[in-house]
Amino acid sequence: MNIQQFYDEGLAHASYAILSEGKVALVDPGRNPRQYYDFAEANNAQIVAVIETHPHADFVSSHLEFHQNEGASIYVSKLVGAEYPHTGFDEGDSFQMGKVSFHSLHTPGHSPDSISILLKDENGKDYALFSGDTLFIGDVGRPDLREKAGNMKAQREELAKMMYHTVQDKLKPLADDVIVYPAHGAGSLCGKNLSDARQSTIGEQRATNWAFGDVDEQTFVNSLLEGQPYIPKYFGYDVDMNKKGAPAYQRSISRVSIWPEGSNIPAGALVIDTREQDKFRAGHIPGAINIMNGGKFETWLGSIVGPEEHFFLVADSAAELEILIFKAAKIGYEQLIKGAVVNPAGMTETESTFDVEAFKANPDTFTIVDIRSADEHKNTPIFEESINIPLHELRERAGEIPADKPVVVHCAGGYRSAAGSSIVSGTLKGAEVLDFSEAIKDFQEVVH
């Protein structure tokens, strides 16, 4: 038996291939199937099964593609209401592959249809738990993503109670040496206190994970519901796409319209400009949003742009554009790209450069907008007089910002404020909008 973890840093998503006797089963695979095919080919094996722990909200899975191309069986809870060919895989169900066997545990809490997969070795001993978004290293999955999406909808309080009983009745009875392989690590929006560790054991989680503590149901529910991160716009869209099964990756990407370099983008179109901030400032399409190509590009794309919108993607090279289309595809957004363009025509300079010294001398002459999350703003304040509008709400709420003084936008490190200042500038026509950028780091220790 060989277990291979594949980790996507951008989405903090872990997927798995389990190899036994020339056969491979995948757990929660990401959108691009190539790495899984490479693993199977390197081991002279065939992908025969794909297990989905639940319909994921934060990425699009390639399960249907493996069924269509390889004839792989897809195992998923019947509660999902999956619209693709599948085998129901619920509490008490199991299947053998080579010398190992896979057993389904119904573990609701993150979603009502979540399952965890108990892998048993050739001797029938519990070996590993593929816990999906139920159990993370240091936390459990958030219970507030299924109030508006999926086949089964449930209120967060109801799911939090389910999670309590999942921990008590399904996870706590497992042996200490069972390895825990979660679907996410630190940086995922599917939980709030995830560890950087990529795997653990039940014993380690029993000793260190708050959810395994000796608490009553209500205390557990209150702790789980408190301080959960925001819900990106794309989450419900991905739940529905995963329930239906996504179109094949390469075929879908090949349909993205690549426009000739220097093309004119239609007036009034939504433009996502992914270039570095200095290039964006030097010239961009009026009203464009500057989501720079970085480690969390796909998350911010799906947080700022809704799945009902279509947009143009701008980059400064064809190679960069290709990478960005791949990233957009991880959340199913390649289908929303109306056109992808390198350095389109009609780019004009519209933003001023922020004078840090002028701000230090007279901060009262600026309107300060903090686009960090509400928790960041509350727990690590920087400017007492700032207006807090989190970045994912900014397009809808930028009109609330007074424009009688120059507006300066800040986040924690500079990445988000590039997007934020571009959104505010596009909304407050004629106002002077400035970006604190990385200079904000000099104020975090000094000003409170």
Side-chain angles (χ1 to χ4, degrees), residues 160-208:
K161 289 178 182 178
M162 290 182 187
M163 184 66 84
Y164 175 78
H165 292 286
T166 284
V167 173
Q168 296 294 322
D169 303 336
K170 300 294 175 67
L171 303 181
K172 278 190 174 181
L174 296 173
D176 282 351
D177 62 351
V178 172
I179 303 168
V180 176
Y181 291 115
H184 292 291
S188 168
L189 291 172
C190 291
K192 57 182 176 179
N193 293 311
L194 282 65
S195 166
D196 286 326
R198 301 286 170 83
Q199 67 181 71
S200 182
T201 64
I202 290 292
E204 288 174 355
Q205 292 309 292
R206 200 188 309 282
T208 60

Side-chain angles (χ1 to χ4, degrees), residues 367-388:
T367 296
I368 306 169
V369 181
D370 179 354
I371 61 166
R372 297 176 301 162
S373 71
D375 280 346
E376 286 176 284
H377 176 75
K378 176 184 175 183
N379 297 331
T380 53
I382 300 176
F383 302 110
E384 195 173 314
E385 300 302 318
S386 63
I387 300 168
N388 178 221

Side-chain angles (χ1 to χ4, degrees), residues 39-55:
F39 173 82
E41 289 166 11
N43 289 281
N44 194 27
Q46 182 183 2
I47 297 168
V48 299
V50 182
I51 310 172
E52 291 288 293
T53 56
H54 64 294

Side-chain angles (χ1 to χ4, degrees), residues 121-182:
D121 65 19
E122 58 188 278
N123 299 314
K125 183 180 184 297
D126 294 353
Y127 182 80
L129 182 76
F130 298 94
S131 55
D133 287 16
T134 297
L135 175 61
F136 297 132
I137 311 305
D139 202 359
V140 289
R142 64 189 298 179
D144 57 346
L145 300 182
R146 290 295 289 276
E147 295 181 325
K148 298 178 182 177
N151 184 55
M152 295 181 70
K153 297 173 177 62
Q155 297 301 306
R156 60 192 67 191
E157 292 82 4
E158 179 187 355
L159 278 170
K161 289 178 182 178
M162 290 182 187
M163 184 66 84
Y164 175 78
H165 292 286
T166 284
V167 173
Q168 296 294 322
D169 303 336
K170 300 294 175 67
L171 303 181
K172 278 190 174 181
L174 296 173
D176 282 351
D177 62 351
V178 172
I179 303 168
V180 176
Y181 291 115

